[in-house]
């Protein structure tokens, strides 16, 4: 617990000093989705405090109707619990959701939640690894999400 608290303190200090960088096209996509009245949520394994800092610093909080943080669920990805909770908060069926993630654990969670798993290749996991773990498709740029609506 003490180690985690110290790690979180260091992270928030670094983030406050250096800021956050969105993937190119993120704000434009979020504006597009909001204009189309498509609900968006964040389902993260990060703490609510860290998520709040990130969405505040990047100016994207207004685009999300729900945020599910680590402390909101008992089981985290690759379990589907955070994704299912986000769908419930949005009042939508999981099968109506597109979940975007860049890790194999997120693809497994989306598959288990019966959501459309859309992998985004950020360089951590290969497109093949994302597909092998449940991604129905893999994109390289966030703006490519529009092709799946």
């Amino acid at each position: 617990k003490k180690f985690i608290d110290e790690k979180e303190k260091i992270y928030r200090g670094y983030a406050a000093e250096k800021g956050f960088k969105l993937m190119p096209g993120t704000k434009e996509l979020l504006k597009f989705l909001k204009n189309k009245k498509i609900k968006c949520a964040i389902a993260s394994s990060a703490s609510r405090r860290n998520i709040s800092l990130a969405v505040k610093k990047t100016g994207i909080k207004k685009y999300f109707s729900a945020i599910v943080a680590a402390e909101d669920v008992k089981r985290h990805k690759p379990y589907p619990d955070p994704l299912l909770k986000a769908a419930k908060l949005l009042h939508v069926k999981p099968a109506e959701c597109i979940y975007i993630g860049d890790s194999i654990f997120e693809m497994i969670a989306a598959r288990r939640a019966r959501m459309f798993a859309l992998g985004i290749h950020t360089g951590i996991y290969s497109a093949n690894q994302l597909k092998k773990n449940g991604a129905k498709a893999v994109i390289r740029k966030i703006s490519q999400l529009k092709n799946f609506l």
Side-chain angles (χ1 to χ4, degrees):
K1 172 91 170 118
K2 186 176 178 183
F3 172 77
I4 292 170
D5 290 344
E6 186 62 26
K7 177 195 85 75
E8 293 294 307
K9 183 178 173 186
I10 291 168
Y11 169 80
R12 283 190 290 276
Y14 179 83
E17 181 183 320
K18 299 289 184 184
F20 295 89
K21 186 176 179 183
L22 293 172
M23 293 180 72
T26 299
K27 267 196 183 171
E28 293 79 7
L29 176 67
L30 290 170
K31 286 178 189 175
F32 171 83
L33 295 171
K34 188 153 187 101
N35 287 339
K36 295 281 185 187
K37 302 204 183 324
I38 297 172
K39 299 174 188 176
C40 294
I42 294 173
S44 177
S45 297
S47 69
R48 181 164 302 284
R49 191 170 175 188
N50 287 352
I51 297 168
S52 295
L53 177 63
V55 296
K56 181 180 177 187
K57 290 283 186 182
T58 56
I60 61 171
K61 184 176 188 213
K62 63 185 173 188
Y63 298 109
F64 296 97
S65 302
I67 296 175
V68 178
E71 55 267 40
D72 296 327
V73 292
K74 289 182 181 174
R75 299 185 310 171
H76 304 101
K77 299 173 230 167
Y79 292 100
D81 304 23
L83 286 64
L84 294 172
K85 181 162 182 122
K88 186 176 182 177
L89 291 170
L90 292 176
H91 305 289
V92 296
K93 295 175 186 166
E96 297 171 338
C97 297
I98 297 174
Y99 182 82
I100 307 166
D102 68 351
S103 84
I104 59 173
F105 307 105
E106 292 176 304
M107 296 303 99
I108 294 167
R111 185 184 73 225
R112 288 176 173 173
R114 295 192 162 85
M115 293 181 176
F116 184 90
L118 182 59
I120 184 157
H121 185 266
T122 60
I124 299 166
Y125 293 96
S126 70
N128 192 40
Q129 287 173 306
L130 294 170
K131 285 181 182 176
K132 185 178 173 185
N133 285 282
K136 300 289 186 194
V138 178
I139 59 177
R140 292 195 173 274
K141 294 187 246 176
I142 198 76
S143 60
Q144 292 174 297
L145 170 67
K146 291 179 186 178
N147 299 334
F148 296 90
L149 302 177

